[in-house]
Amino acid sequence: MSLFVEAFFLQAGYNATLVAIGAGVLGFAAGASGTFPFLRKRALISDAVAHATLPGIGLAFILMVTFGGDGRSLLGLIAGSALTAWTGLLLIEWISRRTRLTEDAAIGAILGTFFGAGIVFLTVIQGMSAGRQAGLEGFLLGSTAGMLFQDALLIAVGGSLAVLVTWLMRRPMTIVAFDSDYAMTLGYDVRRIDLLMMGLVLSVTVIGLKLVGLILIVAMLIIPAVAARFWTDRSTKMIWIAGCIGGASGYLGAVLSASAPAMPTGPIIVLVAAGIFVFSLLFAPDRGVLVTLFRHRGFQARVHRRQGLLALAAHHPIREAYTLRLLTREGLVRPDGVPTDAGRAQAAKIARDERRWDVAREIYQDTGLTGRYDGLTPIEDVFTADEIAELDHQLGPPVTARTE
Amino acid sequence: MSPTIKPAIVSDLGHAVGPARAPRDAALAIHGLTVSYSEKPAVFSVDAAFSTGEISAIVGPNGAGKSTLLKAALGVIPRLSGEVYVFGDTLRNARARIGYVPQSASVDWDFPTTVLDVVQMGLYRKLGLLGRLSGQGRAQALECLDRVGLADFANRQIGQISGGQRQRVFLARALAQDADLLLLDEPFAGVDAATERAIIGVLKLLRKDGKTVVAVHHDLATIRDYFDRILLVNVRRIAEGPVATTFTTENLQATFGGRLATTHLSELAIMDDGH
Amino acid sequence: MGAEFVQLSLIPVLIGILSAVACALPGNFLILRRQALIGDAISHVVLPGIVIAFLLTGVTSVAPMLLGAAGAALVAVGLIEVVKRLGGIEPGAAMGAIFTTMFAAGVLLLDRTDTSTVHLDVEHALMGNLESLVWLQAEGWHSLLDLAILATLPDELVRIATVCAIVVALTLVFWRWLKISTFDEGFAQALGIPAAGLGLGLVVTAAIAAVAAFDAVGSIIVIAMFICPPAAARLMTNRLEHQVAWSVAFATSSATLGYIFAGYGPLWFGSPAAVSASGMIASISGIILGLACLYGPQRSRVK
Ligand SMILES: Nc1ncnc2c1ncn2[C@@H]1O[C@H](COP(=O)(O)OP(=O)(O)O)[C@@H](O)[C@H]1O
Ligand SMILES: [Mg+2]
């Protein structure tokens, strides 16, 4: 526990500190730049982008070694991975635009093929000169062991740039994500903006490769954005919320993994993010599952109650057992379906409202008002008291509930 | 449904509540059907009965819940409350007697399949999982295609024919089901005049054979020519009855509200007088 | 092409082909249902499934692993549905959130479990080990007729052959239902066909194919085989029957060519070491898809 506190306050050693800061910044950048692809319903392109970095890493290594370099130069590897990932992106776009294949098929095809090619290159490297390739497998799942200051610097600079560009371009990206046809009529170059969105994802992916690996970086690009969606309906706010969720997961995950042995950083970060996501899914105030289920049950009860009262008002039998139970529980009918006095009174009120609606719909030919004649909306929600009084006037004197 | 329930009395709520019980001979009886996708009902407490051997229309503005009503009646989407009877039997038991033509937008037109293949899908229920599609089944499918005038297009890919022709293929598929009750969702939407004639011709022949047809319909000008009965809905049931007495300006106004231009209504009213 | 081929190459080629076909068959329906990436999700969640099965039983035997992976696939599909329906999240993002989380859990469990005594690690999970599946007891083609020697066939081959047979059988039995519910789900439901159950069954079948293939050839090939051969096949024809046939042909040729290039390709460049056969098979399937995109007779979309 004390190790956790130490790590949390960055007192657990130089490497742990670098990792925690790096993971926090990376998480923030990933959350922010993952927001728009998610809103554009293309979250999984980032999966393809991430997998398509592998052949680039392999190729870059082979090239650098062939020309006498070190082969493990981070910038070289990043350049290579960015190049193949970009190629993959363009191919996905080309396939889904030019052929009858849908985008998801294109994503899967590019992902599988590029990753396969990447594995081929990795095995080529294994054959080239044993020992020198050490570390490339680290790009699959990430490794924090050998994190250098320059690695953290790369994440800090690259991540900040990605956040900055996301923020600067938030308006065009919002419009394109919301309604790309409309964006086109406004003169936006939708294709370019799409590529920019994915370009941001790509940059975050390549700078995060070494730390969390290409499979788990996908989680950092998707999960914070999905979690953030539960807390706001505004895209600009979502950038920041997703960023904070991502940043918190990165930092906490790194701290947790530093405070116990045999806790791999990447998976812990992802699981922290997933925890935040599950919490949001369940407990978010408006879109959360619990609230939604509760609301749905309430809604169902309202429908049945209303239908039951309508049946009472019309002197029809109540057909459904659930309706009967509901009204019985409220003391509106006896278990044999005969209405009580309270039930009669409520039914009379509903009958009166139905008549008021009939008159209202004749007077107001306005669908904005009459469109709310859906059986559930109380008439008092739609018309003012004096308007209702006027309706009553046209209806004539109130008919008391028939109690024959 | 207990048999001791007294027959429906005339409602004191005007048209808001339907008969407590559909007539015995109804091909499709719907009671208190409510469906919702969100916190607002798409269909609320609709009662309706469609009698055997008639062609009935379901009419209402866009988004009125017409497709939802059909799908819920077929059990394709869950209902919040309500009951559905087909020829006096439950949906499960009577499933084989219903044919269905979905709204054409609901299908993947890029699907790798031919026109004849699609028509043969109408036979799938009868064939079961492993039953072999006999030459007779093929012939039957071809005959259904012929009835809608598409026999020459049997081997085209489903996406390579016109919108009207696609609609005819769907009708042919429903014919292949050999159903007693046919439910169609906007069969005349976006089709050419020739297709419209072909489809209504087939429907009228079906009526002659004693089949029941219920179609969602959007063109008010052809209601009188095509249909015997009409159900007007807009989330709730507005009116239901024979076209002659139910298809009135007041009922239309109540259904469409301000959405229907007054000029259009008066045009219809003129037609009204002409009959 | 004598004894040495039978000993060293026949079994890997067969396993490659059978894996590819077992994945490509359900893949046809997945891509037509716009669920291509379910294959991606499944191949990620196979790892946690297997690790949990290992943790529970303590052995890496086949039955628990198959069950674990299929169970994980079911759990993943269930969770994806929950997130989609109850959370109102679009399918792609729901999938991405769930499978990456489950994968991370799998990696963590694996890291914290002592698996040094058994063959279970992430790299193996990704790349498989096709090349090592040799049949040293064989003495030549005639061994195929010798029951005693046949009994020494590697288990992996028997396993994937069984699963492939099951997948083929399921595809044939449910052919009509799959076809109709993929083309027009509403109509299928109106016919009384259990479309939702069928969709789930398809995913479970895909999961079983994935896990059987995964055992021998790794998960990369699984992702590629779910999508590339069926997608290329879609561009060749406008009939489902023909599409499936093409996809089997493409899967078979990817596996065969991929294995050959992986084994002999480096020799042509003067390098003695072979490269990953699984990776090469996936690459070849991608090249076939690329050619289909450029030249497939039915490549363009109808308007
Ligand atoms: N799958 C769905 N999910 C959510 N809302 C839906 C769905 N289908 C229809 N709706 C909504 O339900 C209402 C009724 O739709 P529908 O039955 O298609 O109307 P119609 O066929 O009369 O035009 C509309 O407001 C529509 O937006
Ligand atoms: Mg409709």
Side-chain angles (χ1 to χ4, degrees), chain B residues 243-258:
Chain B
V243 167
T245 54
T246 312
F247 188 60
T248 60
T249 313
E250 298 87 70
N251 280 338
L252 284 176
Q253 205 120 39
T255 313
F256 286 86

Side-chain angles (χ1 to χ4, degrees), chain B residues 67 103 185-186:
Chain B
S67 303
Q103 214 163 356
D185 200 345
E186 306 230 9

Side-chain angles (χ1 to χ4, degrees), chain B residues 37-38 42-43 60-69 71 103 185-186 216:
Chain B
Y37 298 99
S38 58
V43 167
N62 273 334
K66 307 180 296 288
S67 303
T68 305
L69 185 70
K71 284 191 234 166
Q103 214 163 356
D185 200 345
E186 306 230 9
V216 173

Side-chain angles (χ1 to χ4, degrees), chain A residues 38 41 44 47 96 99-101 104-105 108-109 113 116-117 119-120 123-124 137 141 215 219 223 261-264 267 274, chain C residues 34 36 40 90 92-93 99-101 103-104 108 111-112 123 220 227 234 238 275-276 279-280 283 286 289 298-299 301:
Chain A
F38 164 63
K41 304 200 189 334
L44 278 178
D47 198 24
S96 45
T99 77
R100 74 190 326 154
L101 296 177
D104 63 328
T113 310
I119 295 288
V120 169
T123 47
V124 167
E137 273 78 13
L141 295 172
I215 302 178
I223 296 176
M263 295 275 263
Chain C
R34 314 264 186 276
D40 182 25
E90 55 106 4
F99 80 70
T100 52
T101 302
F103 185 80
L108 179 67
D111 258 37
R112 298 192 58 84
E123 230 169 279
I220 321 146
I227 300 176
R234 178 68 195 92
N238 266 329
V275 299
S276 158
M280 191 55 94
S283 309
L289 174 60
Q298 304 295 342
R299 62 185 178 279
R301 192 173 296 157

